[in-house]
Amino acid sequence: METINAVAALSALAQDNRLEIFRLLVQAGPGGMAAGQVAEKLGLAPNTLTFHFDRLRFAGLVTVRRDGRSMIYAARFEAMNDLVSFLTENCCQGAQECAPVAVCKPKGAPHEAVSRARRRR
Amino acid sequence: METINAVAALSALAQDNRLEIFRLLVQAGPGGMAAGQVAEKLGLAPNTLTFHFDRLRFAGLVTVRRDGRSMIYAARFEAMNDLVSFLTENCCQGAQECAPVAVCKPKGAPHEAVSRARRRR
DNA sequence: ATGACGTTTCTATATTCGTTGAAGTATGGA
DNA sequence: TCCATACTTCAACGAATATAGAAACGTCAT
């Protein structure tokens, strides 16, 4: 992972609403969660939520797919693990007791989703 | 860890210079590094560096101690691990394959230091 | 005491960020 | 087709952030 990507991910998570959104998605697992459910759980206006989802998505931390009228957002666990690895890289000059470990490897893969691929406008 | 602390830590790391500073300290290990060395390695103005160190320190991510004319900064590995735990909490509804692990436990404890204790002004 | 060095504090400024309100765009049902 | 639902886009505003220059502070050697 490059510094610039790590900063993007950290910036995306460095905001209370977004952090809660992301943690909600992490807890939801690879299946994800509808935007509306998140809005209800956190009491956020829909446009505000879109703003935050966009930042998370742009940082590569979440994916989206449409399901009927709902948008289903899901955490990208790979990105989360990469971020942790980046932070702890070469910890303590590579001392054995500091070898970092991947933190989360869910079994079920998420549905094919939009992620950062098809950028609009 | 509370959300507010996690946001503070993430905000502190969500800036390229600070992220590099912190990674440098993580790689240096519990012994830490003089501010001057960091300034030289990253090519930052001394006042700018102080500004960033303050943010890291305020977020509980680093400690300082004085050594002669130099200030020695060191990463707080406990805070780093707490942050990772917080992010991955209840990952995938507690599925076994997602149980988070502590990422870095250096042996040598850092010197007693200033940390966030004695706030000036 | 004097001066050099390493670091911090103060002040100012341009930029970025989070939230809101209003309007717009897909999707599904009657 | 018409309407409700579920989100997204746009425009605007106050608040917070990163950096720079100048000055001050604490420590050490002489």
Side-chain angles (χ1 to χ4, degrees), chain A residues 3 10-11 13-14 20 23 26-28 80 86 88-93 97-100 103-107, chain B residues 3 10-11 13-14 20 23 26-28 80 86 88-93 97-100 103-107:
Chain A
T3 298
L10 290 164
S11 300
L13 295 172
E20 286 310 310
R23 271 163 41 90
V26 165
Q27 285 162 34
M80 188 176 77
F86 182 80
T88 58
E89 204 173 78
N90 287 112
C91 176
C92 304
Q93 297 150 77
E97 65 270 29
C98 286
V103 287
C104 190
K105 349 183 185 180
K107 275 175 180 163
Chain B
T3 298
L10 290 164
S11 300
L13 295 173
E20 286 309 309
R23 271 163 41 91
V26 165
Q27 285 161 34
M80 189 176 77
F86 182 80
T88 57
E89 203 173 78
N90 287 113
C91 176
C92 304
Q93 296 149 80
E97 65 270 29
C98 286
V103 286
C104 189
K105 349 182 185 180
K107 276 175 178 161

Side-chain angles (χ1 to χ4, degrees), chain B residues 2-115:
Chain B
E2 311 271 330
T3 298
I4 185 168
N5 297 327
V7 169
L10 290 164
S11 300
L13 295 173
Q15 206 277 335
D16 42 1
N17 288 328
R18 280 199 297 271
L19 182 56
E20 286 309 309
I21 292 170
F22 185 73
R23 271 163 41 91
L24 218 51
L25 294 180
V26 165
Q27 285 161 34
M33 230 174 135
Q37 288 177 56
V38 177
E40 192 180 6
K41 270 228 171 186
L42 301 183
L44 293 174
N47 54 350
T48 301
L49 195 58
T50 296
F51 172 80
H52 291 309
F53 273 138
D54 273 359
R55 295 191 85 75
L56 288 169
R57 195 161 55 87
F58 203 74
L61 287 167
V62 307
T63 57
V64 219
R65 70 192 148 97
R66 179 179 280 280
D67 178 25
R69 277 179 279 203
S70 295
M71 301 299 268
I72 311 288
Y73 286 85
R76 288 219 318 120
F77 295 95
E78 193 195 341
M80 189 176 77
N81 291 333
D82 283 356
L83 180 60
V84 172
S85 301
F86 182 80
L87 264 182
T88 57
E89 203 173 78
N90 287 113
C91 176
C92 304
Q93 296 149 80
Q96 272 204 336
E97 65 270 29
C98 286
V101 203
V103 286
C104 189
K105 349 182 185 180
K107 276 175 178 161
H111 293 72
E112 280 316 310
V114 182
S115 180

